[in-house]
Each structure stands twice: as C-alpha cells, then as structure tokens.
Amino acid sequence: MESKITLAHGSGGEKYRELVQEIFLPAYSNEYLSPLTDSAILEGGGKIAMTTDSYVVRPLFFPGGDIGSLAVSGTVNDLAVSGALPKYISVGMILEAGLEMDVLKRIVDSISNTAEKAGVKVVTGDTKVVESKSADEIFINTAGVGIFPSGRIIPTQKIEAGDRIIISGCMASHGMAVMNARNNLGFSPPIESDAAPLGKLVDAIFMNENNIIHAMRDPTRGGVAATLCEWVTSTTDIIIYQGSVPVRPDVAAACRLLGLDPLHIANEGIILFSVPEKCADSVLAALRKEEYGKDSAIIGEVREGRGTVSAVTDFGSKIRITMPNGELLPRIC
Amino acid sequence: MESKITLAHGSGGEKYRELVQEIFLPAYSNEYLSPLTDSAILEGGGKIAMTTDSYVVRPLFFPGGDIGSLAVSGTVNDLAVSGALPKYISVGMILEAGLEMDVLKRIVDSISNTAEKAGVKVVTGDTKVVESKSADEIFINTAGVGIFPSGRIIPTQKIEAGDRIIISGCMASHGMAVMNARNNLGFSPPIESDAAPLGKLVDAIFMNENNIIHAMRDPTRGGVAATLCEWVTSTTDIIIYQGSVPVRPDVAAACRLLGLDPLHIANEGIILFSVPEKCADSVLAALRKEEYGKDSAIIGEVREGRGTVSAVTDFGSKIRITMPNGELLPRIC
C-alpha cells in the first residue's frame, strides 16, 4: 500500500476497498462490521440498524439539493437498503471559523425539511469549529438508526443466479449535477441532482408480503458499476441490458460531451435491487407507483458464472464493466 | 446573533448554547432531541441510546491518548452518562490528502484498542478524503448506540435539593495535557490526559440496586463549571466545597502558573454525579473500587435556591462559578 493517503482512497472504487480491507477491517474485526453493508444490524431490544456517513460535497448548494439534504438522504438510504425503517439520525458538524451564519441556517433548514420528508428525527448532534483554513466551510457527519418492523425479512444482500436487477430511477443525475455546478460547465437548464430519501420507496415494496429482495444498495460513489462489481460473486455473472438503464436526456448528453460513462457516476436518489425473477414484475409495479420510483426499470439479470459484470448491446456484443479505479470526481457527497 | 461563526461557537460555553438554542433546536425540534442530553434515548425493540461527537483535537497524539482513543472514550462516556450500556460505535473519518498512512494506522489501532477496553464494537464506518489544505490531517466522527439492561432506572438528569455532587477522579488533566503538548509549554514530566472509556465505572454503580443517580455527565468542553451551570435550576443552588475537588499536583501547578481555573478546563476521563444524600457514600465506595474511579470524592451539594453555582472556601467565603464564555482552548477534543 502507498505511504500516503490520496484522493482515490476516498472514492467508492478499488483504492477505497483496499483501505477498508487492509486498514479498517483487520483493526475493528467483528461479526457486525464484517458484512460491510452500509448499515450495521445490531442487537437491541429488537434488531436495529445503525449507519454513518460524512459529507464534504462542493459546492454546498447545487440544483436539486445541498450538503444538508444530502446528509439526510444518504444516511436514510443506507438504512433503507439494509431493510430497516429509518427512524433516527445524528448530525455532527465541523465548521470553519468565518462560515456565514446564513449559510449554516440554510443548511440546517434543509436538514430539517429532508428529515421530515424522510420520516426520521434528528435525535442527537455535535458541533466543532476549527480555525479558518483548517476545514473547508462545513463538513457534516450523520449517523442513522433504523428498526425492523415485525415480520420483515431482512435481505441477505447476496444475489442469486436467476435474479433480475431493477433500478428505481434514472442514473448519474447527482454526479453530473454537482460536476456542472462546481465547474461552471454551463449545461443549461442546470442539471438537477436526484438526491432524495428513499425509505418510503423501500417500504412500498415490503407492503406486498410476497415480494422478496435478495440484495439492495444505493449506488453512490462509484456509481451503478461499483455496486454491481461488489455484488457479483465467484459463481455468478451479472448481465446488464445496455440501453435499458434509464438516464435523463440532459444527463446523457452531458456524459457524452464529457466522455464519461454514466455507469460510473454517483447517484443519491436511486436504489439497485436484485430480486428473484418471480417477484420482478411485482417489485417493479410497487416502485413505479411511488414519487421517487416512477422511472424504475428492469435492467439486467444474474446468471451462473465466474464473477464478471458485463453490458450486452442490442446487437449482442458484450462490454465488460469494471470497478471504477481512482477518484473520478472528489467530494461528490 | 453574530453573522459569522466564531471559535466560541464550538466551545462548551454560552456561545455554543446560543447556537444550539437559536439554530439547531428550532429546526430539528422533537421530543427526543429537546432534553439536550448527550445521548438520545430511542424506541427500538427495547430502549436504546444513540449519541455522536466529532473529534478535531490537535496535536493528534498527546501524553495519555490520541484522537482515536478520544473518539471512542468521548462517545462511550456520552452513552454511559445517559445510563445506557455502550455497545456499538460508528467511525466516520475525514482525511486530508497527503496524510501519512502510518499516522492513520496508529489512530485506527488506538480506536480498536480503546473500543476493546470499553467493551464496544465498531459496527459501521465511512471515510472521505478532501484535498490538501481543505482539512487538517484528520477529523473523526463517532456515533454510539447503547442499550438499557432490563431493570435499569434511567436517570432523570435533574438534580434535586439535598443531592450530593460526586466527581469520579481528578479534574482538568485532559485540557492541560493537550495545552502542554500543543504549545510546548515544557511542563516535565509531560502532563498526562485522563482520557478513558467509563462505561464500566457507571455499570459498577448500578450493580448495587439501592444506588440512585439523579444526574450524571462527563464534564468535557467547558469543564466542571459548565456542567454544574447547566445542571442548576431556578429553584436550586449548587455549592462546591473548594479544596475538595481533586486535581493532580502537576495539573494544579500548571493551572496556577498559567492563571487558569481548573474548573473551566476540559476533562475526558471523569464523570460528575448528583445523587441523593442517602446514596452518596455507597456510590462513592462503588466508584473507588474501579480503576478509573479511585480518586472519587464528594465535592459539593445541591440546596434549595435560585440558580447559582458557588464555591465555598474553607474560611466560609463564597465565590460565584459561572459558565465559561468563549473558547478557552479550541480543538481540545
């Protein structure tokens, strides 16, 4: 391993995995941490889920969201994809001395509004202030705790041959929104982030007791590609039907112009599901009824195989999809 | 309120209270947050406690501890003083690009060791990296969840006239250790921080079912003075017996030389208790049997009054103790 931390260590890709596998897992090793799911499932009175994320996104405000709405949505979504009902969040802030009070207020209001929309409560918090130039305006950490409604079957987070892969909305919107806002790329009208809390979307699936979810994940840093590459096992392949993955036209145009693959771009308002074939249509129908799920689509399937992820074009040719390497766009969340 | 954040807003004093009362409470208002205790007590299957804290201490390593041991101890102690048994912590890190990998490893090892000592597990985590100069080496957020053993009476966190005030060890050690290390003040041998996880100390008190605790708190930023000033109500006074509050000789000497009141200096390894008079001796005895409680002492009492905190000298004169104003020593934790 390198002797110094690089930006790539904060990405969702290979270097980040290396950091987790080499540094954090050996040190903290325990049965709750080692599944490396976004939320830890904990003994409480009943089962509870707990998760955490720090947010360092720039700019602080961007079309469709801001660091505050992101800090709530991201953590709520991590709970939701564990199968839990998001209930409580903590908010820890590190502020640079000199930050405008009005900026803080706007962010706090956004946290409050997003929490209400998500149905979670901010139940504890902490604020530190560091000297000017020792931080960049504001960093936010949120931790979240969720509970498991009685009777809910907790997903194993293991895909199985025969599964269908479902996406709950258009991909790459968040990453391209932030990139456009930060670098004044001038795409107009501005690209809007998809950042949204998705607890209710997941809940809608579980309303139908026949729906089974093998795995679900919000594909943030590293994009849809990173999630699929993390899901695939040594005895399965994942095949994506190229052209079936929904992308908003403005986002697709921006990606094309910049030569970026939307599969590698971060999302904050969609979830990937791996579900048994027999449930696929029913899960899709449940998602499409929801505000944040209307663009849901079946985008691929899991087959027996040897651990590859590929996209199949309409003409039958296959393109291998790999884990993004390095940091495509730092400070996206 | 000011239009800009200042260092004082990150202190444990008046400005920090103002920030919480004016900005955070109105925005997040809910029944779990509003008691403003360090841990939120949450419905789960059973009751659970959840807390969070960010750590920005400089230097990263100091005699008696480091940012990693502090990040575990501080959060564990926040859970312990809520009456909960600390069980799970999350670790969110914000790293500056260029941080030495060896420094990170030392900190991670320290987190691991302290967690083991504290009997908690790191169950989830997150790491972000920002550009060089956008943060100061490393910031750590830990959130914690604790459970309530069946039959445990959760402290009301309200002091009552007649209570005795007990401290579990010598005060001001952490603040003076960091000050000495950071500013090369040259006190030698170096002053050691008291940073330690205190879950087992609190547990020892509850082993005796007759022990009742009205309030307990770890007096971190703002010191013992800030906790007492937050505890006192409009119908009570708190009287501290000056000279009875234990301070290590090296810490007392450093405070005298620098003209600092040890009551205002931060601690990371002691707890203040307000207990009914009838329990005071029994609580004291339980504390003194523990590794981190051997210097415990009864240091004062609660009387009917009008909301003042004072220290009474051996000659009977009274000195008013007030909430520290502004930031005495930024980035102490």
Side-chain angles (χ1 to χ4, degrees), chain B residues 6-326:
Chain B
T6 68
L7 285 175
H9 285 117
S11 77
E14 279 299 343
K15 289 286 161 201
Y16 182 77
R17 274 168 80 100
E18 208 180 291
L19 192 66
V20 171
Q21 295 288 347
E22 306 277 338
I23 306 279
F24 300 132
L25 264 189
Y28 302 148
S29 173
N30 66 60
E31 72 273 31
Y32 297 105
L33 180 65
S34 51
L36 282 185
T37 46
D38 277 323
S39 284
I41 296 175
L42 311 172
E43 264 91 42
K47 296 269 184 200
I48 59 169
M50 174 188 187
T51 187
T52 191
D53 252 315
S54 298
Y55 298 85
V56 298
V57 67
R58 287 301 168 284
L60 295 177
F61 304 91
F62 47 83
D66 57 70
I67 190 170
S69 63
L70 210 57
V72 177
S73 296
T75 290
V76 161
N77 295 348
D78 281 345
L79 291 172
V81 298
S82 77
L85 202 62
K87 290 282 280 182
Y88 311 108
I89 62 170
S90 64
V91 178
M93 289 185 166
I94 297 173
L95 308 178
E96 183 185 8
L99 179 72
E100 294 288 339
M101 193 66 75
D102 282 345
V103 170
L104 180 61
K105 281 182 189 164
R106 282 176 66 194
I107 292 169
V108 166
D109 282 344
S110 174
I111 289 174
S112 170
N113 293 336
T114 312
E116 198 178 334
K117 208 184 295 179
V120 297
K121 290 178 176 187
V122 178
V123 294
T124 188
D126 169 64
T127 307
K128 297 290 190 305
V129 181
V130 297
E131 307 86 341
S132 169
K133 315 272 184 209
S134 287
D136 189 0
E137 294 188 288
I138 178 169
F139 299 139
I140 301 178
N141 174 285
T142 47
V145 165
I147 61 164
F148 295 91
S150 71
R152 178 166 294 189
I153 294 159
I154 301 175
T156 58
Q157 305 296 1
K158 289 189 175 77
I159 61 169
E160 290 179 22
D163 280 2
R164 292 295 179 267
I165 305 289
I166 298 177
I167 198 165
S168 69
C170 295
M171 70 174 164
S173 308
H174 177 70
M176 297 312 293
V178 171
M179 202 182 295
N180 186 33
R182 187 188 304 167
N183 301 322
N184 299 309
L185 298 180
F187 293 108
S188 178
I191 299 170
E192 291 234 340
S193 168
D194 61 345
L198 303 173
K200 286 167 190 169
L201 189 69
V202 171
D203 218 35
I205 298 174
F206 284 114
M207 288 295 166
N208 180 339
E209 285 181 7
N210 295 320
N211 285 340
I212 295 166
I213 297 170
H214 284 154
M216 54 180 158
R217 178 84 66 87
D218 56 328
T220 54
R221 289 180 288 177
V224 169
T227 294
L228 297 177
C229 290
E230 283 175 14
W231 270 356
V232 82
T233 63
S234 58
T235 58
T236 55
D237 284 341
I238 296 178
I239 313 294
I240 296 301
Y241 320 133
Q242 195 160 44
S244 72
V245 193
V247 191
R248 286 201 325 247
D250 58 340
V251 172
C255 285
R256 253 192 321 272
L257 267 164
L258 298 169
L260 297 170
D261 186 340
L263 286 170
H264 287 168
I265 306 292
N267 310 280
E268 289 288 347
I270 60 170
I271 296 179
L272 282 170
F273 301 91
S274 188
V275 303
E277 186 186 3
K278 62 174 183 186
C279 300
D281 289 335
S282 159
V283 168
L284 190 67
L287 289 172
R288 285 189 170 166
K289 277 188 204 140
E290 296 295 312
E291 179 189 356
Y292 296 126
K294 57 186 185 331
D295 296 321
S296 296
I298 297 176
I299 62 165
E301 60 189 80
V302 181
R303 294 183 191 159
E304 290 185 357
R306 289 192 282 180
T308 66
V309 180
S310 20
V312 180
T313 68
D314 297 342
F315 308 104
S317 66
K318 261 191 187 173
I319 303 158
R320 181 77 180 268
I321 296 173
T322 54
M323 181 67 90
N325 196 332

Side-chain angles (χ1 to χ4, degrees), chain A residues 168-231:
Chain A
S168 69
C170 295
M171 70 174 164
S173 308
H174 176 70
M176 296 313 293
V178 171
M179 201 181 297
N180 186 35
R182 188 190 300 165
N183 302 322
N184 299 310
L185 298 181
F187 292 108
S188 179
I191 298 170
E192 292 235 338
S193 167
D194 62 344
L198 303 174
K200 287 168 189 169
L201 190 69
V202 172
D203 218 36
I205 297 174
F206 284 114
M207 287 297 166
N208 180 341
E209 285 180 8
N210 296 322
N211 286 339
I212 294 167
I213 298 170
H214 284 155
M216 52 180 159
R217 178 82 66 84
D218 55 329
T220 55
R221 290 180 288 176
V224 169
T227 294
L228 297 177
C229 290
E230 282 174 17
W231 270 357

Side-chain angles (χ1 to χ4, degrees), chain A:
Chain A
M1 281 191 80
E2 291 88 339
S3 69
K4 286 179 194 293
I5 289 285
T6 67
L7 285 175
H9 285 117
S11 77
E14 279 300 341
K15 289 286 161 201
Y16 182 78
R17 274 168 82 98
E18 207 179 290
L19 192 66
V20 169
Q21 296 287 347
E22 305 278 337
I23 306 278
F24 300 131
L25 263 189
Y28 302 146
S29 172
N30 65 61
E31 72 273 30
Y32 298 105
L33 181 64
S34 52
L36 282 184
T37 46
D38 277 323
S39 284
I41 297 174
L42 311 171
E43 265 89 44
K47 295 271 183 198
I48 58 169
M50 174 188 187
T51 188
T52 190
D53 252 315
S54 299
Y55 298 85
V56 299
V57 66
R58 288 302 168 282
L60 295 176
F61 303 91
F62 47 83
D66 57 71
I67 190 171
S69 63
L70 209 56
V72 177
S73 296
T75 290
V76 160
N77 294 349
D78 281 346
L79 292 172
V81 296
S82 77
L85 202 62
K87 290 282 281 181
Y88 312 109
I89 62 169
S90 64
V91 177
M93 289 185 167
I94 297 173
L95 309 178
E96 183 185 9
L99 180 72
E100 294 287 340
M101 192 66 76
D102 281 345
V103 170
L104 180 61
K105 282 183 190 164
R106 280 176 67 192
I107 292 169
V108 165
D109 282 345
S110 173
I111 289 174
S112 170
N113 293 337
T114 312
E116 198 179 333
K117 209 184 294 178
V120 296
K121 291 179 175 186
V122 177
V123 294
T124 188
D126 169 63
T127 307
K128 297 290 189 304
V129 181
V130 298
E131 308 86 340
S132 169
K133 315 271 184 212
S134 287
D136 189 1
E137 295 189 288
I138 178 169
F139 298 141
I140 302 178
N141 175 286
T142 48
V145 166
I147 62 164
F148 294 92
S150 71
R152 178 165 295 190
I153 294 158
I154 302 175
T156 58
Q157 305 296 0
K158 288 188 177 77
I159 62 170
E160 290 179 23
D163 281 2
R164 292 296 178 267
I165 305 290
I166 298 177
I167 197 165
S168 69
C170 295
M171 70 174 164
S173 308
H174 176 70
M176 296 313 293
V178 171
M179 201 181 297
N180 186 35
R182 188 190 300 165
N183 302 322
N184 299 310
L185 298 181
F187 292 108
S188 179
I191 298 170
E192 292 235 338
S193 167
D194 62 344
L198 303 174
K200 287 168 189 169
L201 190 69
V202 172
D203 218 36
I205 297 174
F206 284 114
M207 287 297 166
N208 180 341
E209 285 180 8
N210 296 322
N211 286 339
I212 294 167
I213 298 170
H214 284 155
M216 52 180 159
R217 178 82 66 84
D218 55 329
T220 55
R221 290 180 288 176
V224 169
T227 294
L228 297 177
C229 290
E230 282 174 17
W231 270 357
V232 82
T233 63
S234 59
T235 59
T236 55
D237 283 342
I238 296 177
I239 313 293
I240 296 300
Y241 320 133
Q242 196 162 42
S244 72
V245 193
V247 191
R248 285 201 327 246
D250 58 340
V251 172
C255 284
R256 253 194 318 273
L257 266 164
L258 298 169
L260 297 170
D261 186 340
L263 286 169
H264 287 170
I265 305 292
N267 310 279
E268 290 289 346
I270 59 170
I271 297 179
L272 282 170
F273 301 90
S274 187
V275 304
E277 186 186 3
K278 62 175 182 182
C279 301
D281 289 334
S282 158
V283 168
L284 190 67
L287 289 171
R288 285 190 169 165
K289 277 188 204 138
E290 296 295 311
E291 180 189 356
Y292 296 125
K294 58 185 182 336
D295 296 321
S296 296
I298 296 176
I299 62 165
E301 60 189 81
V302 181
R303 295 182 191 160
E304 289 185 358
R306 289 191 282 179
T308 66
V309 179
S310 19
V312 181
T313 67
D314 297 342
F315 307 103
S317 66
K318 261 192 189 175
I319 303 158
R320 180 78 178 268
I321 296 173
T322 55
M323 181 69 89
N325 196 334
E327 182 57 290
L328 189 63
L329 182 62
R331 304 182 66 179
I332 198 77
C333 62

